[in-house]
Amino acid sequence: MHKLKVGVIGTGNISSAYLNNGKKFDSMEIVACADLDVERAKAKAEEFGIRGCSVEDLLADPEIGMVINLTIPQAHAAVCLQALEAGKHVYVEKPFAVTREEAQEVLELAEKKGLLVGSAPDTFLGGGIQTSIKLIEDGWIGTPIGATAFMMSGGHETWHPAPEFYYQKGGGPMFDMGPYYLTALVAMLGPISRVTGMARASFPERTITSQPKFGQKVQVEVPTHVAGVIEFAAGPIGTLVTSFDVKGGSTLPWIEVYGTAGSMLVPDPNNFGGTIKIRRSGSTEWTSIPLAFQNTENARGLGAADLAKAVLTGRKHRPSGELAYHVLEAMHGFFDAAEQGAHYTMKSTCNKPAPFTLGLAAYCLD
């Protein structure tokens, strides 16, 4: 099978992982990268032995069939629309878009053009979450009845070289990290029927303590501590807390899933591997479960490669636009519920992504 030629737009921090891992998949070949700063794109391209160019040149290239959109969240929808108008399939970093309206516009244009659109995160395709999904489906904890998920952090201004956008519209802990947790939960438990929540911005201003912007002040425009409750269509009830305000650290688990026959500790959904532990009903001990799937290291790009495989074969892609939109709507739903003091009933739904089959080698999708 030939490889789909792919171009990357946006050459910031995360682009190196995509460009490095892109060489390992049999479904795509990254041939070019572009940025508003063309010189930065050319420097990144030289590092990875591909072509660096302007965004306009990349979109005009008839050989490029798919775009990986790695721009900042505020530009996600606009760049996706540009790429779709140029006749390219699109895979975009999370969040899918800043607003529900922007995301719907992307989905509608993709359908009109007969093109595929997908979105990060793709960590749910890693060995950790895929093994968790299989354990649930095989009945190791019985019928799922609930879940808890926690992303507790002190904020990105202590380590990120340019953390300002994390505190602007489209940022905050829910839009930055919530997609990892919600996507993993939906992949394990199915779509969401309604949510409710509360949110606050605990600190109106942040001081950057990382380089090169040490000492600069950042005005906070978004909630930085968000607590939500989730009702899944299949019945389980979940709790999700995301925070940039936990200055003293936390011992809470990333995700736990509770069933009628036991409990399961799920690995960090921001990573591809991790440790799974199960405690069955009647037991007093947690048992570590070996991962049954590959892709346990940093395999960012799996989602883009899965979309490329779907383009080439006609099968459905796992990190679909419908899944990403469902997650985006749930995140907005927490804030709508917080503002209105009510439950938010989901208007969208999605299918659970098809799980991987056992025995696949690393970086293989089928």
Side-chain angles (χ1 to χ4, degrees), residues 290-307:
L291 300 189
F293 297 88
Q294 300 293 324
N295 299 314
T296 58
E297 303 301 324
N298 184 350
R300 292 191 194 277
L302 264 175
D306 189 81
L307 192 150

Side-chain angles (χ1 to χ4, degrees), residues 212-298:
K213 299 183 177 182
F214 182 89
Q216 291 186 25
K217 304 292 184 181
V218 178
Q219 299 305 309
V220 176
E221 301 174 1
V222 292
T224 50
H225 189 93
V226 186
V229 178
I230 306 162
E231 180 182 69
F232 293 90
I237 295 171
T239 302
L240 171 63
V241 180
T242 65
S243 184
F244 284 166
D245 298 343
V246 181
K247 301 298 184 180
S250 169
T251 59
L252 290 167
W254 289 294
I255 299 176
E256 286 184 346
V257 180
Y258 313 110
T260 55
S263 300
M264 179 170 65
L265 179 66
V266 179
D268 182 354
N270 188 25
N271 292 324
F272 289 83
T275 300
I276 298 173
K277 293 185 178 182
I278 281 183
R279 182 173 169 182
R280 303 292 294 274
S281 177
S283 173
T284 60
E285 302 291 335
W286 289 88
T287 301
S288 294
I289 306 295
L291 300 189
F293 297 88
Q294 300 293 324
N295 299 314
T296 58
E297 303 301 324
N298 184 350

